Amino acid sequence: MNAARDRIGSTPRLLVTGGAGFIGSAYVRDVLGRRDGTRITVLDKLTYAGRRANLALAEDDPEQAARLRFVHGDIVDPTVVDPLVAEADAVLNFAAESHVDRSILDPEAFLSTGVIGVHVLLEAVRREADRATSGARSSAPRFLQVSTDEVYGSVHEGWSRESDALAPRSPYSAAKAAGELLAMSYHATYGTDVVITRGSNTYGPYQYPEKLIPLFITNAIDDQPLPLYGDGLQERDWLHVSDHAKAIDHVLHHGDPGEVYNLPGEAQLTNRAVVAAILERLGKPWSLVRTVEDRPGHDRRYALDGTRLAGLGWRNLTDFATGIAETVDWFRDNDAWWREARSGAWDDYYRRQYSARLAASREA
Ligand code: NAD
Ligand code: DAU
């Protein structure tokens, strides 16, 4: 990896918001698992998608647990956020409502967390930077906003570069774009040390089973229909969660202030190809797949140019064939985890999202 200057030091105190979710918890497990002295406070609201169990591997290990603190709270609440930011060398904001289909059904929470929440974090970081300027603390905290390739909108050809215009097309991606723009405005106006990552579609263990890959794996395990939207020829660029987490950490330590970094997966596939890979690993038939009514405003294709990240010295470690096989096996071996996730309010969501679609479905 590149030997560029480390901008936050080797044993920082990190505030990780949304650290009980899919990618945030992978980040926490990975960083604590390095056993390099880094301390982490997780601030998480524990929405339907956030689960304390996602941190169990770290919390059950005494050496890691001593460097991990969990705070149950909301990033929109300054009384919770301010004292935590005051203790941090860097803030990594993973917290978000993250599912596009839910943003179509009910956008409000997306705006609250994605815009107001980001503002509350930025204000706290700005205050701490002022304290650093006045000598009340040794250095200003860095703010890393975890964003997404969806802010570019649907990319019909070519690969999105960081300088491309933002053209989000769902309430989810519009909220993510708003969060980014707010963060960049703090960099321009107040000199806040902001870096932004735009990751591509992420998959792997502990992903809440509403998203394509874990939904289709868990449905297929139970021989339930797999609801494929439209023609299934939409393209996504798949990034393994451990690579996503490690790339975020690389940008945190080495990224330039005020910069955006694409984090591509380098596995550009149609949804049909992804579903075929899942079924092959599980030994289940294609007849489970059903064509259903498309997602409104469905983005056809995302594709990221990774030149800037490569220039920072980062390379992904997991190829898609290996990653999808391990992911399928993880869900097959962790039945209790995903059955718990698919309980409670799950049935209502599933009915709302899929009942009418499946009733009118046809062979895929
Ligand atoms: P997730 O839904 O699994 O986890 C989100 C976490 O944030 C949960 O633990 C939830 O409890 C917490 N949270 C939500 N609102 C909160 C609030 N107001 N205050 C505190 N905590 C709150 O999401 P994920 O897939 O892990 O995504 C993490 C981040 O990465 C998001 O910002 C998302 O936009 C971004 N991202 C995701 C992907 C992907 O494919 N999953 C790809 C690129 C970027
Ligand atoms: O690209 C990054 C984004 O990837 C992240 O920012 C989001 O947080 C994350 O949810 C994801 O968004 P997508 O909308 O691309 O992911 P999802 O898993 O919902 O859908 C992937 C593709 O599969 C998309 O083309 C829609 C399709 N799909 C999805 C579901 C849930 C289906 O065909 N059927 C389904 O039931």
PDB file of all heavy atoms in Angstrom, residues 98-101 148-150 172 199-201 210-213 215-216 227-229 234 236 238 271 295 298-299 302 354, ligand 2:
ATOM      1  N   SER A  98     -30.798   3.011   4.173  1.00  0.00           N
ATOM      2  CA  SER A  98     -29.974   2.614   3.024  1.00  0.00           C
ATOM      3  C   SER A  98     -30.712   1.871   1.914  1.00  0.00           C
ATOM      4  O   SER A  98     -30.089   1.494   0.924  1.00  0.00           O
ATOM      5  CB  SER A  98     -28.808   1.750   3.526  1.00  0.00           C
ATOM      6  OG  SER A  98     -29.298   0.523   4.026  1.00  0.00           O
ATOM      7  N   HIS A  99     -32.022   1.638   2.061  1.00  0.00           N
ATOM      8  CA  HIS A  99     -32.678   0.805   1.041  1.00  0.00           C
ATOM      9  C   HIS A  99     -33.560   1.639   0.101  1.00  0.00           C
ATOM     10  O   HIS A  99     -34.529   2.268   0.531  1.00  0.00           O
ATOM     11  CB  HIS A  99     -33.505  -0.284   1.721  1.00  0.00           C
ATOM     12  CG  HIS A  99     -33.981  -1.348   0.763  1.00  0.00           C
ATOM     13  ND1 HIS A  99     -33.265  -1.731  -0.354  1.00  0.00           N
ATOM     14  CD2 HIS A  99     -35.112  -2.095   0.738  1.00  0.00           C
ATOM     15  CE1 HIS A  99     -33.928  -2.669  -1.009  1.00  0.00           C
ATOM     16  NE2 HIS A  99     -35.048  -2.900  -0.372  1.00  0.00           N
ATOM     17  N   VAL A 100     -33.218   1.602  -1.187  1.00  0.00           N
ATOM     18  CA  VAL A 100     -33.909   2.400  -2.200  1.00  0.00           C
ATOM     19  C   VAL A 100     -35.419   2.128  -2.196  1.00  0.00           C
ATOM     20  O   VAL A 100     -36.237   3.052  -2.249  1.00  0.00           O
ATOM     21  CB  VAL A 100     -33.310   2.112  -3.597  1.00  0.00           C
ATOM     22  CG1 VAL A 100     -34.121   2.790  -4.701  1.00  0.00           C
ATOM     23  CG2 VAL A 100     -31.847   2.553  -3.647  1.00  0.00           C
ATOM     24  N   ASP A 101     -35.818   0.855  -2.123  1.00  0.00           N
ATOM     25  CA  ASP A 101     -37.253   0.542  -2.174  1.00  0.00           C
ATOM     26  C   ASP A 101     -38.004   1.173  -1.000  1.00  0.00           C
ATOM     27  O   ASP A 101     -39.128   1.652  -1.160  1.00  0.00           O
ATOM     28  CB  ASP A 101     -37.467  -0.976  -2.166  1.00  0.00           C
ATOM     29  CG  ASP A 101     -37.045  -1.619  -3.480  1.00  0.00           C
ATOM     30  OD1 ASP A 101     -37.198  -0.970  -4.535  1.00  0.00           O
ATOM     31  OD2 ASP A 101     -36.550  -2.762  -3.452  1.00  0.00           O
ATOM     32  N   THR A 148     -22.241   7.016  -1.856  1.00  0.00           N
ATOM     33  CA  THR A 148     -22.602   5.906  -2.741  1.00  0.00           C
ATOM     34  C   THR A 148     -22.464   6.282  -4.214  1.00  0.00           C
ATOM     35  O   THR A 148     -22.612   7.467  -4.571  1.00  0.00           O
ATOM     36  CB  THR A 148     -24.069   5.496  -2.458  1.00  0.00           C
ATOM     37  OG1 THR A 148     -24.508   4.611  -3.492  1.00  0.00           O
ATOM     38  CG2 THR A 148     -25.014   6.702  -2.458  1.00  0.00           C
ATOM     39  N   ASP A 149     -22.257   5.284  -5.049  1.00  0.00           N
ATOM     40  CA  ASP A 149     -22.221   5.536  -6.498  1.00  0.00           C
ATOM     41  C   ASP A 149     -23.590   5.973  -7.028  1.00  0.00           C
ATOM     42  O   ASP A 149     -23.691   6.492  -8.143  1.00  0.00           O
ATOM     43  CB  ASP A 149     -21.720   4.296  -7.262  1.00  0.00           C
ATOM     44  CG  ASP A 149     -22.597   3.059  -7.130  1.00  0.00           C
ATOM     45  OD1 ASP A 149     -23.635   3.101  -6.437  1.00  0.00           O
ATOM     46  OD2 ASP A 149     -22.238   2.026  -7.736  1.00  0.00           O
ATOM     47  N   GLU A 150     -24.652   5.790  -6.227  1.00  0.00           N
ATOM     48  CA  GLU A 150     -25.988   6.159  -6.709  1.00  0.00           C
ATOM     49  C   GLU A 150     -26.152   7.660  -6.882  1.00  0.00           C
ATOM     50  O   GLU A 150     -27.091   8.113  -7.534  1.00  0.00           O
ATOM     51  CB  GLU A 150     -27.078   5.626  -5.766  1.00  0.00           C
ATOM     52  CG  GLU A 150     -27.073   4.130  -5.688  1.00  0.00           C
ATOM     53  CD  GLU A 150     -28.421   3.517  -5.325  1.00  0.00           C
ATOM     54  OE1 GLU A 150     -29.432   4.231  -5.333  1.00  0.00           O
ATOM     55  OE2 GLU A 150     -28.435   2.315  -5.030  1.00  0.00           O
ATOM     56  N   TYR A 172     -33.638   8.078  -1.766  1.00  0.00           N
ATOM     57  CA  TYR A 172     -32.423   7.634  -1.070  1.00  0.00           C
ATOM     58  C   TYR A 172     -31.202   8.342  -1.621  1.00  0.00           C
ATOM     59  O   TYR A 172     -30.424   8.964  -0.885  1.00  0.00           O
ATOM     60  CB  TYR A 172     -32.253   6.108  -1.215  1.00  0.00           C
ATOM     61  CG  TYR A 172     -30.843   5.647  -0.911  1.00  0.00           C
ATOM     62  CD1 TYR A 172     -30.346   5.678   0.385  1.00  0.00           C
ATOM     63  CD2 TYR A 172     -29.981   5.219  -1.934  1.00  0.00           C
ATOM     64  CE1 TYR A 172     -29.024   5.290   0.661  1.00  0.00           C
ATOM     65  CE2 TYR A 172     -28.678   4.832  -1.670  1.00  0.00           C
ATOM     66  CZ  TYR A 172     -28.208   4.868  -0.368  1.00  0.00           C
ATOM     67  OH  TYR A 172     -26.917   4.501  -0.101  1.00  0.00           O
ATOM     68  N   GLY A 199     -19.014   4.416  -2.579  1.00  0.00           N
ATOM     69  CA  GLY A 199     -18.860   2.977  -2.776  1.00  0.00           C
ATOM     70  C   GLY A 199     -19.907   2.435  -3.731  1.00  0.00           C
ATOM     71  O   GLY A 199     -21.006   2.967  -3.853  1.00  0.00           O
ATOM     72  N   SER A 200     -19.565   1.341  -4.374  1.00  0.00           N
ATOM     73  CA  SER A 200     -20.532   0.697  -5.263  1.00  0.00           C
ATOM     74  C   SER A 200     -21.321  -0.372  -4.488  1.00  0.00           C
ATOM     75  O   SER A 200     -21.127  -0.553  -3.277  1.00  0.00           O
ATOM     76  CB  SER A 200     -19.835   0.120  -6.494  1.00  0.00           C
ATOM     77  OG  SER A 200     -18.894  -0.830  -6.111  1.00  0.00           O
ATOM     78  N   ASN A 201     -22.204  -1.067  -5.182  1.00  0.00           N
ATOM     79  CA  ASN A 201     -23.094  -2.047  -4.539  1.00  0.00           C
ATOM     80  C   ASN A 201     -22.297  -3.054  -3.721  1.00  0.00           C
ATOM     81  O   ASN A 201     -21.433  -3.742  -4.271  1.00  0.00           O
ATOM     82  CB  ASN A 201     -23.894  -2.816  -5.590  1.00  0.00           C
ATOM     83  CG  ASN A 201     -25.157  -2.103  -5.961  1.00  0.00           C
ATOM     84  OD1 ASN A 201     -25.087  -1.060  -6.603  1.00  0.00           O
ATOM     85  ND2 ASN A 201     -26.289  -2.641  -5.559  1.00  0.00           N
ATOM     86  N   GLU A 210     -33.009  -7.433   3.058  1.00  0.00           N
ATOM     87  CA  GLU A 210     -33.927  -6.734   2.143  1.00  0.00           C
ATOM     88  C   GLU A 210     -33.276  -6.466   0.790  1.00  0.00           C
ATOM     89  O   GLU A 210     -33.967  -6.234  -0.189  1.00  0.00           O
ATOM     90  CB  GLU A 210     -34.345  -5.395   2.765  1.00  0.00           C
ATOM     91  CG  GLU A 210     -33.173  -4.439   2.920  1.00  0.00           C
ATOM     92  CD  GLU A 210     -33.437  -3.234   3.805  1.00  0.00           C
ATOM     93  OE1 GLU A 210     -34.586  -2.982   4.177  1.00  0.00           O
ATOM     94  OE2 GLU A 210     -32.458  -2.535   4.148  1.00  0.00           O
ATOM     95  N   LYS A 211     -31.927  -6.488   0.730  1.00  0.00           N
ATOM     96  CA  LYS A 211     -31.201  -6.135  -0.490  1.00  0.00           C
ATOM     97  C   LYS A 211     -31.116  -7.350  -1.417  1.00  0.00           C
ATOM     98  O   LYS A 211     -31.245  -8.493  -0.965  1.00  0.00           O
ATOM     99  CB  LYS A 211     -29.791  -5.637  -0.140  1.00  0.00           C
ATOM    100  CG  LYS A 211     -29.747  -4.542   0.911  1.00  0.00           C
ATOM    101  CD  LYS A 211     -30.084  -3.176   0.367  1.00  0.00           C
ATOM    102  CE  LYS A 211     -30.361  -2.148   1.455  1.00  0.00           C
ATOM    103  NZ  LYS A 211     -29.300  -1.900   2.401  1.00  0.00           N
ATOM    104  N   LEU A 212     -30.858  -7.104  -2.708  1.00  0.00           N
ATOM    105  CA  LEU A 212     -30.951  -8.175  -3.711  1.00  0.00           C
ATOM    106  C   LEU A 212     -30.249  -9.473  -3.281  1.00  0.00           C
ATOM    107  O   LEU A 212     -30.878 -10.544  -3.250  1.00  0.00           O
ATOM    108  CB  LEU A 212     -30.348  -7.701  -5.047  1.00  0.00           C
ATOM    109  CG  LEU A 212     -30.292  -8.796  -6.117  1.00  0.00           C
ATOM    110  CD1 LEU A 212     -31.656  -9.022  -6.758  1.00  0.00           C
ATOM    111  CD2 LEU A 212     -29.277  -8.473  -7.213  1.00  0.00           C
ATOM    112  N   ILE A 213     -28.948  -9.396  -2.983  1.00  0.00           N
ATOM    113  CA  ILE A 213     -28.201 -10.641  -2.773  1.00  0.00           C
ATOM    114  C   ILE A 213     -28.682 -11.410  -1.536  1.00  0.00           C
ATOM    115  O   ILE A 213     -29.062 -12.583  -1.647  1.00  0.00           O
ATOM    116  CB  ILE A 213     -26.675 -10.369  -2.792  1.00  0.00           C
ATOM    117  CG1 ILE A 213     -26.264 -10.098  -4.247  1.00  0.00           C
ATOM    118  CG2 ILE A 213     -25.876 -11.524  -2.172  1.00  0.00           C
ATOM    119  CD1 ILE A 213     -24.781  -9.818  -4.483  1.00  0.00           C
ATOM    120  N   LEU A 215     -31.525 -11.122   0.059  1.00  0.00           N
ATOM    121  CA  LEU A 215     -32.941 -11.486  -0.093  1.00  0.00           C
ATOM    122  C   LEU A 215     -33.067 -12.744  -0.950  1.00  0.00           C
ATOM    123  O   LEU A 215     -33.788 -13.697  -0.600  1.00  0.00           O
ATOM    124  CB  LEU A 215     -33.730 -10.344  -0.740  1.00  0.00           C
ATOM    125  CG  LEU A 215     -35.213 -10.662  -0.966  1.00  0.00           C
ATOM    126  CD1 LEU A 215     -35.977 -10.664   0.357  1.00  0.00           C
ATOM    127  CD2 LEU A 215     -35.864  -9.688  -1.938  1.00  0.00           C
ATOM    128  N   PHE A 216     -32.331 -12.763  -2.054  1.00  0.00           N
ATOM    129  CA  PHE A 216     -32.461 -13.901  -2.971  1.00  0.00           C
ATOM    130  C   PHE A 216     -31.819 -15.152  -2.367  1.00  0.00           C
ATOM    131  O   PHE A 216     -32.325 -16.255  -2.551  1.00  0.00           O
ATOM    132  CB  PHE A 216     -31.877 -13.545  -4.339  1.00  0.00           C
ATOM    133  CG  PHE A 216     -32.844 -12.753  -5.209  1.00  0.00           C
ATOM    134  CD1 PHE A 216     -33.788 -11.895  -4.651  1.00  0.00           C
ATOM    135  CD2 PHE A 216     -32.823 -12.869  -6.586  1.00  0.00           C
ATOM    136  CE1 PHE A 216     -34.686 -11.167  -5.435  1.00  0.00           C
ATOM    137  CE2 PHE A 216     -33.717 -12.160  -7.397  1.00  0.00           C
ATOM    138  CZ  PHE A 216     -34.647 -11.309  -6.828  1.00  0.00           C
ATOM    139  N   PRO A 227     -38.094 -12.361  -6.487  1.00  0.00           N
ATOM    140  CA  PRO A 227     -38.761 -11.328  -7.296  1.00  0.00           C
ATOM    141  C   PRO A 227     -37.782 -10.444  -8.062  1.00  0.00           C
ATOM    142  O   PRO A 227     -37.245  -9.475  -7.520  1.00  0.00           O
ATOM    143  CB  PRO A 227     -39.524 -10.504  -6.233  1.00  0.00           C
ATOM    144  CG  PRO A 227     -38.727 -10.684  -4.972  1.00  0.00           C
ATOM    145  CD  PRO A 227     -38.054 -12.007  -5.045  1.00  0.00           C
ATOM    146  N   LEU A 228     -37.560 -10.747  -9.332  1.00  0.00           N
ATOM    147  CA  LEU A 228     -36.602 -10.011 -10.165  1.00  0.00           C
ATOM    148  C   LEU A 228     -37.336  -8.847 -10.845  1.00  0.00           C
ATOM    149  O   LEU A 228     -38.292  -9.056 -11.586  1.00  0.00           O
ATOM    150  CB  LEU A 228     -36.024 -10.964 -11.216  1.00  0.00           C
ATOM    151  CG  LEU A 228     -34.873 -10.444 -12.063  1.00  0.00           C
ATOM    152  CD1 LEU A 228     -33.620 -10.197 -11.221  1.00  0.00           C
ATOM    153  CD2 LEU A 228     -34.555 -11.455 -13.179  1.00  0.00           C
ATOM    154  N   TYR A 229     -36.840  -7.618 -10.610  1.00  0.00           N
ATOM    155  CA  TYR A 229     -37.524  -6.433 -11.160  1.00  0.00           C
ATOM    156  C   TYR A 229     -37.273  -6.309 -12.666  1.00  0.00           C
ATOM    157  O   TYR A 229     -36.123  -6.344 -13.127  1.00  0.00           O
ATOM    158  CB  TYR A 229     -37.009  -5.149 -10.506  1.00  0.00           C
ATOM    159  CG  TYR A 229     -37.270  -5.011  -9.008  1.00  0.00           C
ATOM    160  CD1 TYR A 229     -36.477  -4.160  -8.241  1.00  0.00           C
ATOM    161  CD2 TYR A 229     -38.305  -5.695  -8.374  1.00  0.00           C
ATOM    162  CE1 TYR A 229     -36.705  -4.005  -6.875  1.00  0.00           C
ATOM    163  CE2 TYR A 229     -38.536  -5.547  -7.018  1.00  0.00           C
ATOM    164  CZ  TYR A 229     -37.734  -4.707  -6.263  1.00  0.00           C
ATOM    165  OH  TYR A 229     -37.948  -4.545  -4.921  1.00  0.00           O
ATOM    166  N   GLN A 234     -30.476  -4.928 -15.521  1.00  0.00           N
ATOM    167  CA  GLN A 234     -29.827  -3.778 -14.896  1.00  0.00           C
ATOM    168  C   GLN A 234     -28.423  -4.206 -14.457  1.00  0.00           C
ATOM    169  O   GLN A 234     -28.204  -5.365 -14.093  1.00  0.00           O
ATOM    170  CB  GLN A 234     -30.625  -3.315 -13.659  1.00  0.00           C
ATOM    171  CG  GLN A 234     -32.078  -2.979 -13.931  1.00  0.00           C
ATOM    172  CD  GLN A 234     -32.997  -4.191 -13.932  1.00  0.00           C
ATOM    173  OE1 GLN A 234     -32.583  -5.315 -13.678  1.00  0.00           O
ATOM    174  NE2 GLN A 234     -34.267  -3.960 -14.240  1.00  0.00           N
ATOM    175  N   ARG A 236     -24.979  -3.600 -11.995  1.00  0.00           N
ATOM    176  CA  ARG A 236     -24.370  -3.034 -10.795  1.00  0.00           C
ATOM    177  C   ARG A 236     -22.923  -3.496 -10.745  1.00  0.00           C
ATOM    178  O   ARG A 236     -22.561  -4.510 -11.363  1.00  0.00           O
ATOM    179  CB  ARG A 236     -25.104  -3.532  -9.521  1.00  0.00           C
ATOM    180  CG  ARG A 236     -26.585  -3.125  -9.435  1.00  0.00           C
ATOM    181  CD  ARG A 236     -26.733  -1.644  -9.216  1.00  0.00           C
ATOM    182  NE  ARG A 236     -28.115  -1.190  -8.990  1.00  0.00           N
ATOM    183  CZ  ARG A 236     -28.923  -0.733  -9.948  1.00  0.00           C
ATOM    184  NH1 ARG A 236     -28.518  -0.714 -11.216  1.00  0.00           N
ATOM    185  NH2 ARG A 236     -30.136  -0.291  -9.650  1.00  0.00           N
ATOM    186  N   TRP A 238     -20.253  -4.890  -8.225  1.00  0.00           N
ATOM    187  CA  TRP A 238     -20.343  -5.494  -6.885  1.00  0.00           C
ATOM    188  C   TRP A 238     -19.017  -5.459  -6.135  1.00  0.00           C
ATOM    189  O   TRP A 238     -17.987  -5.910  -6.630  1.00  0.00           O
ATOM    190  CB  TRP A 238     -20.886  -6.924  -7.004  1.00  0.00           C
ATOM    191  CG  TRP A 238     -22.316  -6.891  -7.450  1.00  0.00           C
ATOM    192  CD1 TRP A 238     -22.785  -7.026  -8.727  1.00  0.00           C
ATOM    193  CD2 TRP A 238     -23.468  -6.627  -6.626  1.00  0.00           C
ATOM    194  NE1 TRP A 238     -24.163  -6.875  -8.747  1.00  0.00           N
ATOM    195  CE2 TRP A 238     -24.600  -6.635  -7.478  1.00  0.00           C
ATOM    196  CE3 TRP A 238     -23.655  -6.385  -5.261  1.00  0.00           C
ATOM    197  CZ2 TRP A 238     -25.900  -6.404  -7.003  1.00  0.00           C
ATOM    198  CZ3 TRP A 238     -24.937  -6.163  -4.789  1.00  0.00           C
ATOM    199  CH2 TRP A 238     -26.041  -6.177  -5.647  1.00  0.00           C
ATOM    200  N   ASN A 271     -28.159  -8.138 -13.060  1.00  0.00           N
ATOM    201  CA  ASN A 271     -28.823  -8.817 -11.942  1.00  0.00           C
ATOM    202  C   ASN A 271     -29.048 -10.293 -12.257  1.00  0.00           C
ATOM    203  O   ASN A 271     -28.928 -11.152 -11.383  1.00  0.00           O
ATOM    204  CB  ASN A 271     -30.152  -8.124 -11.621  1.00  0.00           C
ATOM    205  CG  ASN A 271     -29.932  -6.727 -11.060  1.00  0.00           C
ATOM    206  OD1 ASN A 271     -28.836  -6.405 -10.589  1.00  0.00           O
ATOM    207  ND2 ASN A 271     -30.965  -5.901 -11.097  1.00  0.00           N
ATOM    208  N   ARG A 295     -39.040  -1.563 -10.297  1.00  0.00           N
ATOM    209  CA  ARG A 295     -38.910  -0.472  -9.307  1.00  0.00           C
ATOM    210  C   ARG A 295     -39.168   0.846 -10.043  1.00  0.00           C
ATOM    211  O   ARG A 295     -38.566   1.070 -11.109  1.00  0.00           O
ATOM    212  CB  ARG A 295     -37.492  -0.523  -8.738  1.00  0.00           C
ATOM    213  CG  ARG A 295     -37.076   0.640  -7.894  1.00  0.00           C
ATOM    214  CD  ARG A 295     -35.598   0.554  -7.501  1.00  0.00           C
ATOM    215  NE  ARG A 295     -35.362  -0.409  -6.442  1.00  0.00           N
ATOM    216  CZ  ARG A 295     -34.136  -0.745  -5.999  1.00  0.00           C
ATOM    217  NH1 ARG A 295     -33.066  -0.193  -6.513  1.00  0.00           N
ATOM    218  NH2 ARG A 295     -33.987  -1.618  -5.028  1.00  0.00           N
ATOM    219  N   HIS A 298     -36.178   3.081 -11.714  1.00  0.00           N
ATOM    220  CA  HIS A 298     -35.063   2.138 -11.531  1.00  0.00           C
ATOM    221  C   HIS A 298     -33.827   2.564 -12.324  1.00  0.00           C
ATOM    222  O   HIS A 298     -33.868   2.633 -13.560  1.00  0.00           O
ATOM    223  CB  HIS A 298     -35.528   0.755 -12.006  1.00  0.00           C
ATOM    224  CG  HIS A 298     -34.684  -0.369 -11.540  1.00  0.00           C
ATOM    225  ND1 HIS A 298     -35.081  -1.676 -11.625  1.00  0.00           N
ATOM    226  CD2 HIS A 298     -33.463  -0.405 -10.959  1.00  0.00           C
ATOM    227  CE1 HIS A 298     -34.155  -2.465 -11.131  1.00  0.00           C
ATOM    228  NE2 HIS A 298     -33.152  -1.700 -10.714  1.00  0.00           N
ATOM    229  N   ASP A 299     -32.721   2.805 -11.633  1.00  0.00           N
ATOM    230  CA  ASP A 299     -31.467   3.129 -12.321  1.00  0.00           C
ATOM    231  C   ASP A 299     -30.981   1.897 -13.067  1.00  0.00           C
ATOM    232  O   ASP A 299     -30.881   0.805 -12.509  1.00  0.00           O
ATOM    233  CB  ASP A 299     -30.400   3.567 -11.309  1.00  0.00           C
ATOM    234  CG  ASP A 299     -30.674   4.949 -10.726  1.00  0.00           C
ATOM    235  OD1 ASP A 299     -31.431   5.722 -11.350  1.00  0.00           O
ATOM    236  OD2 ASP A 299     -30.145   5.245  -9.641  1.00  0.00           O
ATOM    237  N   TYR A 302     -24.945   1.338 -12.860  1.00  0.00           N
ATOM    238  CA  TYR A 302     -23.928   2.126 -12.154  1.00  0.00           C
ATOM    239  C   TYR A 302     -22.571   1.572 -12.563  1.00  0.00           C
ATOM    240  O   TYR A 302     -22.413   0.347 -12.714  1.00  0.00           O
ATOM    241  CB  TYR A 302     -24.047   1.985 -10.627  1.00  0.00           C
ATOM    242  CG  TYR A 302     -25.392   2.339 -10.041  1.00  0.00           C
ATOM    243  CD1 TYR A 302     -26.018   1.475  -9.135  1.00  0.00           C
ATOM    244  CD2 TYR A 302     -26.027   3.532 -10.350  1.00  0.00           C
ATOM    245  CE1 TYR A 302     -27.246   1.791  -8.570  1.00  0.00           C
ATOM    246  CE2 TYR A 302     -27.260   3.855  -9.794  1.00  0.00           C
ATOM    247  CZ  TYR A 302     -27.857   2.982  -8.912  1.00  0.00           C
ATOM    248  OH  TYR A 302     -29.066   3.292  -8.351  1.00  0.00           O
ATOM    249  N   TYR A 354     -43.917  -6.728  -1.949  1.00  0.00           N
ATOM    250  CA  TYR A 354     -43.890  -7.844  -2.900  1.00  0.00           C
ATOM    251  C   TYR A 354     -45.213  -8.558  -3.158  1.00  0.00           C
ATOM    252  O   TYR A 354     -45.314  -9.262  -4.167  1.00  0.00           O
ATOM    253  CB  TYR A 354     -42.842  -8.890  -2.458  1.00  0.00           C
ATOM    254  CG  TYR A 354     -41.433  -8.357  -2.509  1.00  0.00           C
ATOM    255  CD1 TYR A 354     -40.712  -8.132  -1.341  1.00  0.00           C
ATOM    256  CD2 TYR A 354     -40.823  -8.070  -3.730  1.00  0.00           C
ATOM    257  CE1 TYR A 354     -39.410  -7.637  -1.384  1.00  0.00           C
ATOM    258  CE2 TYR A 354     -39.520  -7.569  -3.781  1.00  0.00           C
ATOM    259  CZ  TYR A 354     -38.824  -7.358  -2.611  1.00  0.00           C
ATOM    260  OH  TYR A 354     -37.552  -6.860  -2.661  1.00  0.00           O
TER     261      TYR A 354
HETATM  262  O1  DAU B   2     -24.956   1.240  -5.522  1.00  0.00           O
HETATM  263  C1  DAU B   2     -24.830   1.413  -4.140  1.00  0.00           C
HETATM  264  C2  DAU B   2     -26.162   1.194  -3.502  1.00  0.00           C
HETATM  265  O2  DAU B   2     -26.434  -0.191  -3.620  1.00  0.00           O
HETATM  266  C3  DAU B   2     -26.222   1.630  -2.060  1.00  0.00           C
HETATM  267  O3  DAU B   2     -26.029   3.003  -1.984  1.00  0.00           O
HETATM  268  C4  DAU B   2     -27.561   1.254  -1.433  1.00  0.00           C
HETATM  269  O4  DAU B   2     -27.547   1.536  -0.050  1.00  0.00           O
HETATM  270  C5  DAU B   2     -27.791  -0.226  -1.637  1.00  0.00           C
HETATM  271  O5  DAU B   2     -29.070  -0.581  -1.168  1.00  0.00           O
HETATM  272  C6  DAU B   2     -27.657  -0.604  -3.101  1.00  0.00           C
HETATM  273  O6  DAU B   2     -28.733  -0.058  -3.889  1.00  0.00           O
HETATM  274  P1  DAU B   2     -29.458  -0.896  -5.048  1.00  0.00           P
HETATM  275  O7  DAU B   2     -30.799  -0.343  -5.240  1.00  0.00           O
HETATM  276  O8  DAU B   2     -28.588  -1.023  -6.248  1.00  0.00           O
HETATM  277  O9  DAU B   2     -29.475  -2.334  -4.313  1.00  0.00           O
HETATM  278  P2  DAU B   2     -30.611  -3.447  -4.188  1.00  0.00           P
HETATM  279  O10 DAU B   2     -29.968  -4.617  -3.534  1.00  0.00           O
HETATM  280  O11 DAU B   2     -31.855  -2.916  -3.602  1.00  0.00           O
HETATM  281  O12 DAU B   2     -30.888  -3.789  -5.699  1.00  0.00           O
HETATM  282  C7  DAU B   2     -29.862  -4.276  -6.562  1.00  0.00           C
HETATM  283  C8  DAU B   2     -30.488  -4.526  -7.911  1.00  0.00           C
HETATM  284  O13 DAU B   2     -31.385  -5.619  -7.799  1.00  0.00           O
HETATM  285  C9  DAU B   2     -31.288  -3.357  -8.439  1.00  0.00           C
HETATM  286  O14 DAU B   2     -31.167  -3.304  -9.842  1.00  0.00           O
HETATM  287  C10 DAU B   2     -32.725  -3.727  -8.069  1.00  0.00           C
HETATM  288  C11 DAU B   2     -32.723  -5.254  -8.162  1.00  0.00           C
HETATM  289  N1  DAU B   2     -33.672  -5.933  -7.258  1.00  0.00           N
HETATM  290  C12 DAU B   2     -33.615  -5.638  -5.933  1.00  0.00           C
HETATM  291  C13 DAU B   2     -34.493  -6.229  -5.039  1.00  0.00           C
HETATM  292  C14 DAU B   2     -34.457  -5.882  -3.566  1.00  0.00           C
HETATM  293  C15 DAU B   2     -34.564  -6.880  -7.749  1.00  0.00           C
HETATM  294  O15 DAU B   2     -34.583  -7.161  -8.952  1.00  0.00           O
HETATM  295  N2  DAU B   2     -35.437  -7.457  -6.876  1.00  0.00           N
HETATM  296  C16 DAU B   2     -35.450  -7.159  -5.538  1.00  0.00           C
HETATM  297  O16 DAU B   2     -36.303  -7.714  -4.812  1.00  0.00           O
END
